[in-house]
Amino acid sequence: MPTAPLTAVVIGGGQAGLATGFYLRRSGLVPGQDFVIIDAAAEPGGAWARMWPTLRTFSPTQYSSLPGWMMPPWPHGGYPLASHVVDYLTRYEERYQLAVRRSVAARAVTRSVGGVVVGTDAGDLFAEHVISATGTWSRPFVPTYPGTFAGRQLHTADYRRAADLAGQRVLIVGGGNSAAQILAEVSSVAETTWVTLRPPRFLPDDVDGRALFEIATKRHQARLRGQADTGGVGGLGDIVMVESVRDARNRDVLHARRPFTHLIDHGVRWDDGTDSPYDTIIWCTGFRPALGHLTSLGLRAPNGLIPTDGTQALKEPRLHLIGYGDWTGPASATLIGAGRTARDLVRELYPPRGPRLPTTVGTSPPRPPTQRGGLGF
Ligand code: FAD
């Protein structure tokens, strides 16, 4: 590899990649020069840009901020729409001049003398460290059931609007906030059945997503004190009573039954042997980490994850992972948790050197121009 390595390549410019960029920049590294953030998507916003337009966050704006700059209040009251988060992330990366290189996908990360090579569809990048922040959105998970269903099947990732399902018989599978919000709106235009593994748990109306983050904060503080982990934020699995879900409760549609045993041609079979017909099944059954670009490193455990100590891969110290889930840091895959994990990650990697850089206005510190990181950009 002929050129000097970059200090780091961050793969993924969603909230986790941007929070990491913020702390890399604050530690004295120059975006686009010492480190680069690449993102496969053409537009900013990470997964938020692909969610259905009526999605409400389950976290209020003051609990949805990345480091340095608070998410602006949502002017219409209640919980913000996904578009508000996209707007915030777009402005965040501009504000800190994080120079995200878009429409550049990492294909394979490989080891090299003195660093790692990130092979992309726009050439190779050579770096001392690689930070993977590719999220989960591109890997929707659907559980396997015996039998086949000939009707339409959607995942949360495919869902756009209730009107597309008007007049249909729709089965919604999943017990989290996505399922509850999709059920709430689809049930206003279609005949719905809700299936969850266990009875869904609804937060009281006056308790919002803050409860989840307070638990995450306690975990974080316990970890800093070296105490035992108290369990994942996702373990709560509680449904926040956003307006649409409260409306669904008022219409008496928030009833869930336990899963079916088989898929059949035009419906499902329940464990009592009865069948129910459906036109569409919506699987709100979660996502898995998008780690395909790291397969080449051979680090995956049988559960499909890469074992880490904090964010650092146990068997490859030049690889860090952020986002994805609690295994990379408490609430690492939430807006507020991404910032904490990013701070810890960058502190471990690059203790601050020299004076702190301004982070409120996006002026890059002066540095001699260098040609770093290899080909293609
Ligand atoms: P992403 O946002 O998915 O960003 C990853 C980026 O990596 C993407 O831009 C993608 O283009 C890029 N990428 C992927 N693969 C490659 C590759 N090979 N090469 C280059 N780039 C690549 N959290 C909250 O805090 N509050 C909420 O209310 C909330 N609601 C949610 C509702 C839903 C329906 C879902 C699914 C999640 C919600 N979350 C919420 C959780 C969380 O905030 C999101 O999942 C978040 O998008 C994760 O951020 P990320 O940066 O880790 O991943």
Side-chain angles (χ1 to χ4, degrees), residues 325-339:
D326 287 332
W327 56 284
T328 67
S332 186
T334 63
L335 282 154
I336 198 168

Side-chain angles (χ1 to χ4, degrees), residues 13 30 34 41 107 126 141 147 156 184 229 233 256 338 343:
V30 181
D34 296 319
R107 300 294 181 209
F126 181 41
F141 171 74
T156 307
D229 202 328
V233 73
R343 183 187 57 198

Side-chain angles (χ1 to χ4, degrees), residues 83-102:
S83 58
H84 188 64
V85 186
V86 175
D87 183 54
Y88 170 61
L89 296 180
T90 305
R91 289 164 63 194
Y92 187 92
E93 80 177 59
E94 286 165 7
R95 184 183 183 97
Y96 296 112
Q97 296 187 344
L98 294 174
V100 179
R101 294 179 183 176
R102 300 215 164 271

Side-chain angles (χ1 to χ4, degrees), residues 145-157:
Y145 280 91
T148 49
F149 176 65
R152 186 174 179 212
Q153 298 189 61
L154 301 175
H155 186 272
T156 307

Side-chain angles (χ1 to χ4, degrees), residues 55-143:
L55 170 80
R56 300 274 171 187
T57 69
F58 56 75
S59 50
T61 53
Q62 65 270 34
Y63 281 78
S64 302
S65 295
L66 296 183
W69 181 48
M70 292 287 284
M71 179 184 282
W74 172 243
H76 310 291
Y79 296 87
L81 288 172
S83 58
H84 188 64
V85 186
V86 175
D87 183 54
Y88 170 61
L89 296 180
T90 305
R91 289 164 63 194
Y92 187 92
E93 80 177 59
E94 286 165 7
R95 184 183 183 97
Y96 296 112
Q97 296 187 344
L98 294 174
V100 179
R101 294 179 183 176
R102 300 215 164 271
S103 304
V104 178
R107 300 294 181 209
V109 176
T110 49
R111 298 178 181 88
S112 178
V113 178
V116 278
V117 177
V118 179
T120 82
D121 49 11
D124 289 347
L125 289 164
F126 181 41
E128 290 163 7
H129 299 277
V130 61
I131 297 161
S132 189
T134 48
T136 60
W137 189 260
S138 59
R139 282 200 61 210
F141 171 74
V142 175

Side-chain angles (χ1 to χ4, degrees), residues 218-229 310 329-330 344 348:
K218 284 194 186 124
R219 284 190 73 201
H220 184 69
Q221 288 163 345
R223 210 175 119 239
L224 291 180
R225 290 194 297 267
Q227 293 170 346
D229 202 328
D344 294 349
E348 284 163 21

Side-chain angles (χ1 to χ4, degrees), residues 11-16 38-41 46-48 50-52 55 57-59 104-106 133-137 178 213 287 293 323-324 333-335:
I11 307 175
Q15 62 198 39
I38 61 169
D39 196 294
W48 294 99
R50 285 156 226 165
M51 294 178 190
W52 65 101
L55 170 80
T57 69
F58 56 75
S59 50
V104 178
T134 48
T136 60
W137 189 260
S178 310
F213 299 112
F287 297 83
H293 57 292
Y324 304 114
T334 63
L335 282 154

